[in-house]
Amino acid sequence: MEVQHLQKYFPVRRGLFSRVVGQVQAVDDVSFSIDEGRTLGLVGESGCGKTTAGRSLLRLLVPTAGRVRLAGVDVTASSGAALRALRRNMQIVFQDPFSSLNPRMTVQAIVEEGLIVHGLGDRPERRERVRQTLEQVGLEAAYGNRYPHEFSGGQRQRISIARAVALNPRFLVLDEPISALDVSIQSQIINLLVDLRERFRLTYLFISHDLSMVQYISDHVAVMYLGQLVEMAESRELYAHPRHPYTQVLLSSAPSIDPAGRGRRIPLAGDVPSPIDPPSGCRFHPRCPWAQPVCRGEPPRRLDLDGHLVHCHAAEKELLGTGDYGLPQRRTLDESGPSQPAGL
């Protein structure tokens, strides 16, 4: 999956004639790529544009600008039969398993629906495919005759995952797939996703607020703020050496069971600015503890440090030795690797 300068704006209309008086810049100039069989974690505050970006990749929302390519095929330029064929290889697991499943359809019909839409197999072949898929996600084949209200939240999310993988896709958007589940069930779902990724060489965009889960499942992590990517790096590198002030604030707010890691929270003042009228220069500067005059007037350029991408004037000056903004340095991870979330 390759994303180049993706934008998604929503018009703001007012008045008797519904004139456009502004634009909600939900996603603005976002670029990244995900290699086959890898996982990119996407994190950030609520309202920063994570879900909008994920849905724009699948053309559930039509991008305002930019290019999205899956295995070299331009998704944004496809339409009709070509787009339908592409969507067989792109699926999504939604956040809420209680509202993403049709209560009037059986599990068999829910998982089989995609096979019918794409004309795959006759009825006995489809039923067999549904049976195999349910077993792959840890459900009994007999559950096919039941309805969604008969299942728990974790089981419903397994049904959603079965619906997504039944078509043998290549790319999955996982839009906060564990946030509505109990903690004990979250670990089971994450382990299931890891197993499916390794078994079928799936590629994931994993959207979540849970930083420990993102660290566990992701190969690379991208941090979004107010519609833009501010930092992206290999997972271990980003958690050990966050360069952008917002990333440092975000990681410092995560709870820790390590007594040595407590008491390091970086305070963040103010609220997230409106995406209708974002701040000039660096969008984070009104809340940044280390903002300088240059941050208010000039957008930061992308700094590439051996694959560690960061958009920040302070980080650039700190790393290039042209200034001292006093950015704190987080404790590096030990050599044994990132800690595993409880229950995994």
Side-chain angles (χ1 to χ4, degrees), residues 204-333:
Y204 291 159
L205 176 65
F206 185 80
I207 301 170
S208 179
H209 289 100
D210 193 326
L211 297 175
S212 62
M213 289 296 185
V214 170
Q215 181 182 14
Y216 175 71
I217 195 175
S218 303
D219 300 292
H220 287 75
V221 177
V223 182
M224 279 191 80
Y225 180 79
L226 204 61
Q228 294 183 336
L229 289 187
V230 297
E231 187 168 6
M232 182 167 59
E234 189 269 335
S235 178
R236 181 183 178 89
E237 165 66 16
L238 185 135
Y239 278 79
H241 303 103
R243 302 294 187 184
H244 197 281
Y246 177 66
T247 307
Q248 296 184 15
V249 170
L250 203 63
L251 295 181
S252 74
S253 67
S256 173
I257 61 174
D258 181 11
R262 297 175 184 169
R264 300 181 180 180
R265 183 167 183 173
I266 305 172
L268 188 62
D271 298 323
V272 180
S274 171
I276 299 177
D277 185 23
S280 60
C282 175
R283 294 189 174 184
F284 185 57
H285 85 258
R287 307 174 70 195
C288 181
W290 304 284
Q292 298 293 314
V294 66
C295 303
R296 299 177 176 88
E298 182 180 341
R301 68 185 182 92
R302 188 177 77 166
L303 187 64
D304 190 345
L305 304 169
D306 295 328
H308 191 143
L309 306 178
V310 59
H311 298 72
C312 178
H313 292 295
E316 179 178 354
K317 292 181 180 294
E318 185 91 359
L319 294 170
L320 297 181
T322 58
D324 184 6
Y325 283 59
L327 295 183
Q329 294 297 317
R330 289 176 53 85
R331 175 174 55 88
T332 58
L333 297 173

Side-chain angles (χ1 to χ4, degrees), residues 173-230:
V173 172
L174 306 172
D175 186 9
E176 300 190 42
I178 59 173
S179 62
L181 308 178
D182 293 337
V183 175
S184 60
I185 305 301
Q186 290 180 2
S187 300
Q188 298 177 21
I189 296 300
I190 287 293
N191 283 332
L192 171 62
L193 292 171
V194 172
D195 177 67
L196 292 174
R197 180 186 63 185
E198 296 175 351
R199 187 186 307 180
F200 301 111
R201 197 166 176 75
L202 296 171
T203 304
Y204 291 159
L205 176 65
F206 185 80
I207 301 170
S208 179
H209 289 100
D210 193 326
L211 297 175
S212 62
M213 289 296 185
V214 170
Q215 181 182 14
Y216 175 71
I217 195 175
S218 303
D219 300 292
H220 287 75
V221 177
V223 182
M224 279 191 80
Y225 180 79
L226 204 61
Q228 294 183 336
L229 289 187
V230 297

Side-chain angles (χ1 to χ4, degrees), residues 118-134:
H118 291 278
L120 301 178
D122 55 24
R123 186 172 183 180
E125 292 173 339
R126 293 195 300 267
R127 294 187 67 86
E128 176 62 19
R129 175 58 184 162
V130 171
R131 183 192 66 79
Q132 293 176 355
T133 305
L134 290 178

